[in-house]
Coordinates of all heavy atoms in Angstrom, one line a residue:
L194 N 87.4 158.7 136.1 CA 86.8 159.8 136.7 C 87.7 161.1 136.6 O 87.4 162.2 136.3 CB 86.3 159.6 138.0 CG 85.4 158.3 138.2 CD1 85.0 158.1 139.6 CD2 84.1 158.4 137.2
I195 N 88.9 160.8 137.1 CA 89.9 162.0 137.1 C 90.1 162.5 135.7 O 90.1 163.7 135.4 CB 91.3 161.4 137.7 CG1 91.2 161.0 139.1 CG2 92.4 162.5 137.4 CD1 92.2 160.1 139.7
D196 N 90.3 161.6 134.7 CA 90.5 162.1 133.3 C 89.3 162.9 132.8 O 89.5 163.9 132.3 CB 90.8 160.8 132.5 CG 90.9 161.2 131.0 OD1 91.9 161.9 130.7 OD2 90.0 161.0 130.2
L197 N 88.1 162.3 133.0 CA 86.9 163.0 132.6 C 86.8 164.4 133.1 O 86.5 165.4 132.4 CB 85.6 162.2 132.9 CG 85.4 161.0 132.1 CD1 84.1 160.3 132.5 CD2 85.3 161.3 130.6
A198 N 87.1 164.6 134.4 CA 87.0 166.0 135.1 C 88.0 166.8 134.5 O 87.7 167.9 134.1 CB 87.1 165.8 136.5
L199 N 89.4 166.4 134.4 CA 90.4 167.2 134.0 C 90.2 167.6 132.5 O 90.4 168.8 132.1 CB 91.7 166.7 134.3 CG 92.1 166.4 135.8 CD1 93.5 165.7 135.8 CD2 92.0 167.7 136.5
W200 N 89.8 166.5 131.7 CA 89.8 166.7 130.2 C 88.5 167.7 130.0 O 88.7 168.6 129.2 CB 89.4 165.4 129.6 CG 89.0 165.4 128.2 CD1 89.9 165.7 127.2 CD2 87.7 165.0 127.7 NE1 89.1 165.5 126.0 CE2 87.9 165.1 126.2 CE3 86.6 164.5 128.2 CZ2 86.8 164.7 125.4 CZ3 85.5 164.3 127.4 CH2 85.7 164.4 125.9
T201 N 87.4 167.6 130.7 CA 86.4 168.6 130.5 C 86.7 169.9 130.8 O 86.3 170.9 130.2 CB 85.1 168.0 131.2 OG1 84.8 166.7 130.8 CG2 83.9 168.9 131.0
L202 N 87.4 170.2 131.9 CA 87.7 171.5 132.4 C 88.9 172.0 131.7 O 89.4 173.2 132.1 CB 87.9 171.5 133.9 CG 86.7 171.0 134.8 CD1 87.0 171.0 136.2 CD2 85.6 171.9 134.5
G203 N 89.6 171.4 130.8 CA 90.8 171.9 130.1 C 92.1 171.7 130.9 O 93.0 172.4 130.8
F204 N 92.2 170.6 131.8 CA 93.3 170.3 132.5 C 93.9 171.6 133.4 O 94.9 172.0 133.2 CB 94.4 169.8 131.7 CG 94.2 168.5 131.1 CD1 93.5 168.2 129.9 CD2 94.4 167.3 131.9 CE1 93.1 167.0 129.4 CE2 94.2 166.0 131.4 CZ 93.4 165.9 130.2
P205 N 93.0 171.9 134.4 CA 93.3 173.1 135.2 C 94.5 172.7 136.2 O 94.8 171.5 136.4 CB 92.1 173.3 135.9 CG 91.4 172.0 136.0 CD 91.7 171.4 134.7
E206 N 95.1 173.7 136.9 CA 96.1 173.4 137.8 C 95.5 172.8 139.2 O 94.4 173.3 139.6 CB 96.9 174.7 138.2 CG 97.9 174.6 139.3 CD 98.5 175.9 139.7 OE1 98.2 176.9 139.0 OE2 99.3 176.0 140.6
V207 N 96.2 171.8 139.6 CA 95.6 171.1 140.9 C 96.5 171.7 142.1 O 97.8 171.7 142.0 CB 95.8 169.6 140.7 CG1 95.5 169.0 142.1 CG2 94.9 169.1 139.7
E208 N 95.7 172.1 143.0 CA 96.4 172.7 144.2 C 96.5 171.8 145.4 O 97.3 172.1 146.3 CB 95.7 174.1 144.6 CG 95.9 175.2 143.6 CD 95.4 176.5 144.0 OE1 94.7 176.6 145.0 OE2 95.8 177.5 143.3
G209 N 95.6 170.9 145.5 CA 95.6 170.0 146.7 C 94.8 168.9 146.6 O 93.8 168.8 145.7
I210 N 95.0 167.8 147.4 CA 94.3 166.6 147.2 C 94.1 165.9 148.7 O 95.0 165.9 149.4 CB 95.0 165.5 146.3 CG1 95.1 166.0 144.9 CG2 94.2 164.2 146.4 CD1 96.0 165.1 144.0
S211 N 92.9 165.6 148.9 CA 92.6 164.7 150.2 C 91.9 163.5 149.7 O 91.2 163.4 148.8 CB 91.8 165.5 151.2 OG 90.6 165.9 150.6

Side-chain angles (χ1 to χ4, degrees):
L194 305 180
I195 296 164
D196 177 68
L197 284 181
L199 297 181
W200 174 68
T201 302
L202 298 178
F204 290 92
E206 181 183 353
V207 173
E208 292 190 339
I210 297 171
S211 60

